[in-house]
Amino acid sequence: MREAPHLTFDLDAPGVSRGHLLVPGGADRGELSLPVFSLNKGEGPRLLVTGGNHGNELEGPLVARRLIEWLPEEQTCGRIIVVPVLNPLAVEAWSRNTPLDGLNLNRVFPGRADGSVTERIADAVSRVLLPTADTVFDLHSFGPTWHFPPAATTHPIADPDLMARTVRMAEAFNLPLTLVWEYNDTAGMFDILAQNQGKVFVCTEFGGGTVGADNLAIYEAGVRNALIALGLVEGKADYPTFRQQKSGQTLETHPCDDLRSPARGIFEPRCSVLDEVKQGDLIGILHPMDSISTESMDIRAPGTSFVLAIRSGVHVEINEGVALVAGPLKI
């Protein structure tokens, strides 16, 4: 009989517990042990905090470890479970996907007990950790070739009550941006699984792929703000300063807001994240490199909007994303 995934400690035990989520082995590799921290202070919200879903987004694991350092002194009620690294194989390889099977952990939920290692991780998280929480914070960043403002994000949710509660929770981070993000590639996502179970799930996107002290301070402050809003930590929330501003805005983006390269070449950004642009304003320039005689191509704003994300001067293929714009939330 195949061993079931399980925790090595009792979640109901009061106080601090440290142990592992054991992910059973399979044909491709042996058992995995994911370090888990739990602080149980009785009645109150039940929160799950995860990082390292994608292995090349390292801000999440770092903020999760910072959280573990100060929670024992500051948590006042409820239970918080922290898993700094969901996919250690991808984190060790600094890879978005798991090197062993090539799968994206955030596209295979709820996973399979008899599947490959990525699917078994998703199965263990879905069966052991997700049922323990009513709220989930999944800590991401936007990847190493993009600029993206610190943001708390969600997807459109059919249940209007859950949608409203999720947006309010995302706004409670007081990050520079709260984003309702509609796009087509959502099958197998961790947040879709949780939201289908009626849970509030907020995905934080923590900038680009370069880990810096200033950005980490913003991200940590945002998580603290959200814990205060949940009533798990006492204190006064604040807006972290980003680009000399202490304010946030709530936007939405759709698949048509994804600007793509018209050809192969090097993308040169000509604006910054959260810049407000009008129709026809220059977003960036695509410089073809396979012919000197081929003119560079302007990429312009399709309408009045805010620059949400922009590629960081990289070589791109035809039809590859180079920028993303957004407008005010209408729901």
Side-chain angles (χ1 to χ4, degrees), residues 150-154 169-171 173 175 177-180 202-205:
T153 77
T154 184
M169 187 74 261
E171 290 176 333
F173 281 75
L175 289 172
L177 177 65
T178 300
L179 179 67
V180 177
V202 176
C203 174
T204 50
E205 293 285 357

Side-chain angles (χ1 to χ4, degrees), residues 13-14 19 34 58 62 77 103 118 138 144 154 171 182 185-186 198 226 231 238 270 274 279 283 295 301:
L34 310 185
L58 301 183
L62 293 175
C77 66
L103 295 180
T118 309
D138 193 25
T154 184
E171 290 176 333
E182 180 185 352
D185 182 23
T186 57
D238 189 18
R270 285 293 185 95
L274 295 186
Q279 183 174 3
I283 299 289
E295 293 186 358

Side-chain angles (χ1 to χ4, degrees), residues 229-245:
L230 277 173
L232 289 163
V233 168
E234 293 180 349
K236 182 179 180 181
D238 189 18
Y239 280 103
T241 300
F242 178 72
R243 294 177 61 184
Q244 289 76 53
Q245 296 180 352

Side-chain angles (χ1 to χ4, degrees), residues 278-311:
K278 296 180 173 58
Q279 183 174 3
D281 284 354
L282 186 63
I283 299 289
I285 302 174
L286 192 282
H287 300 283
M289 291 294 157
D290 52 3
S291 172
I292 297 297
S293 60
T294 303
E295 293 186 358
S296 297
M297 290 164 268
D298 293 346
I299 297 173
R300 297 185 177 274
T304 299
S305 54
F306 292 90
V307 177
L308 178 61
I310 192 158
R311 290 297 284 269

Side-chain angles (χ1 to χ4, degrees), residues 62-122:
L62 293 175
V63 171
R65 288 300 299 258
R66 289 188 179 193
L67 188 64
I68 290 170
E69 292 175 2
W70 54 259
L71 268 180
E73 296 296 326
E74 298 197 31
Q75 184 179 331
T76 58
C77 66
R79 183 174 64 205
I80 302 177
I81 301 169
V82 183
V83 188
V85 174
L86 284 181
N87 192 345
L89 301 178
V91 168
E92 291 164 8
W94 200 65
S95 168
R96 179 176 175 86
N97 294 356
T98 310
L100 197 58
D101 57 15
L103 295 180
N104 180 342
L105 176 59
N106 206 30
R107 296 298 186 275
V108 300
F109 282 91
R112 290 173 47 205
D114 60 349
S116 69
V117 62
T118 309
E119 293 170 315
R120 296 197 305 276
I121 293 172

Side-chain angles (χ1 to χ4, degrees), residues 162-228:
L162 182 59
M163 181 80 252
R165 288 190 289 123
T166 302
V167 170
R168 286 198 299 270
M169 187 74 261
E171 290 176 333
F173 281 75
N174 287 357
L175 289 172
L177 177 65
T178 300
L179 179 67
V180 177
W181 192 345
E182 180 185 352
Y183 63 95
N184 298 323
D185 182 23
T186 57
M189 293 185 73
F190 190 15
D191 45 352
I192 302 299
L193 173 67
Q195 290 162 351
N196 286 343
Q197 298 178 13
K199 301 176 187 292
V200 171
F201 190 112
V202 176
C203 174
T204 50
E205 293 285 357
F206 288 168
T210 302
V211 178
D214 291 343
N215 280 347
L216 286 174
I218 293 175
Y219 312 149
E220 183 179 5
V223 173
R224 184 187 294 270
N225 287 339
L227 297 182
I228 292 170

Side-chain angles (χ1 to χ4, degrees), residues 144-166:
T145 64
W146 287 86
H147 292 299
F148 194 90
T153 77
T154 184
H155 298 296
I157 303 170
D159 180 343
D161 176 67
L162 182 59
M163 181 80 252
R165 288 190 289 123
T166 302

